[in-house]
């Protein structure tokens, strides 16, 4: 592990958090991960980004890294603090593990 | 199986197709399924409805039918004909199987 990299480290190793950016940004992030010698990559997302996370996993495994296979998928519920009301609300999350 | 029901039958038995309606509509459809004696229900969705399908599964298993467990989750890519260009495009899909 190189600690001199200038990029911000992910919150968990080998994990790509999918948000609102275009799908290909995250596909590229996953490919970079794999090219750095990792044999696994985990794609995570919450709320409406879940659809995009599935897209990322599919584009990756079907087009750019066909040796990658979906190893496991899990869904969960996370509690987040609402920005508007300040109360807690539930948001669904997904975690897709891919490996070769 | 009763064939005298007035509701349109689902394309596959025990399967709820999640679309653009509010999440609770689909949760209710799943609960109806379970109350009709089924021990399993499959939630399917494509494209942006995938996030909602995960919501449906989570709301169902965590709040309304806590004896239900996620049995398997699979993701796939389907080819659909684009309404605008007439060409084929890929869309991600998800299938969440729940059982008690």
């Amino acid at each position: 592990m190189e600690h001199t990299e200038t990029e911000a480290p992910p919150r968990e190793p080998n994990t790509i958090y999918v948000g609102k950016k275009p799908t290909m940004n995250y596909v590229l992030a996953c490919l970079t991960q794999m090219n750095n010698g990792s044999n696994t990559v985990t794609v995570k997302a919450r709320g409406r980004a879940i659809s995009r996370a599935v897209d990322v996993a599919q584009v990756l495994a079907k087009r750019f890294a066909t040796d990658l296979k979906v190893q496991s998928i899990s869904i969960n519920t996370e509690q987040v603090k609402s920005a508007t009301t300040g109360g807690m609300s539930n948001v669904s999350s997904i975690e897709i593990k891919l490996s070769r």
Side-chain angles (χ1 to χ4, degrees), chain A:
Chain A
M1 195 79 91
E2 286 183 37
H3 288 285
T4 52
E5 299 251 345
T6 50
E7 277 179 58
R11 279 172 282 174
E12 284 175 38
N14 301 348
T15 301
I16 305 296
Y17 289 85
V18 173
K20 294 182 177 181
K21 292 179 196 166
T23 303
M24 287 309 296
N25 289 30
Y26 302 107
V27 172
L28 201 65
C30 291
L31 287 172
T32 306
Q33 177 96 64
M34 304 300 289
N35 287 336
N36 283 343
S38 175
N39 284 322
T40 64
V41 62
T42 303
V43 178
K44 282 191 185 188
R46 294 200 299 196
R48 273 187 279 180
I50 288 175
S51 314
R52 188 166 293 126
V54 174
D55 287 343
V56 169
Q58 288 292 301
V59 169
L60 201 59
K62 303 246 164 170
R63 206 184 318 166
F64 292 101
T66 46
D67 55 340
L68 267 185
K69 296 271 173 285
V70 173
Q71 197 194 312
S72 69
I73 307 171
S74 65
I75 59 176
N76 221 320
T77 304
E78 295 179 16
Q79 293 233 317
V80 291
K81 200 170 180 181
S82 166
T84 47
T85 64
M88 299 304 282
S89 60
N90 293 318
V91 65
S92 298
S93 65
I94 197 167
E95 189 178 317
I96 306 170
K97 284 187 191 173
L98 299 124
S99 66
R100 63 180 169 201

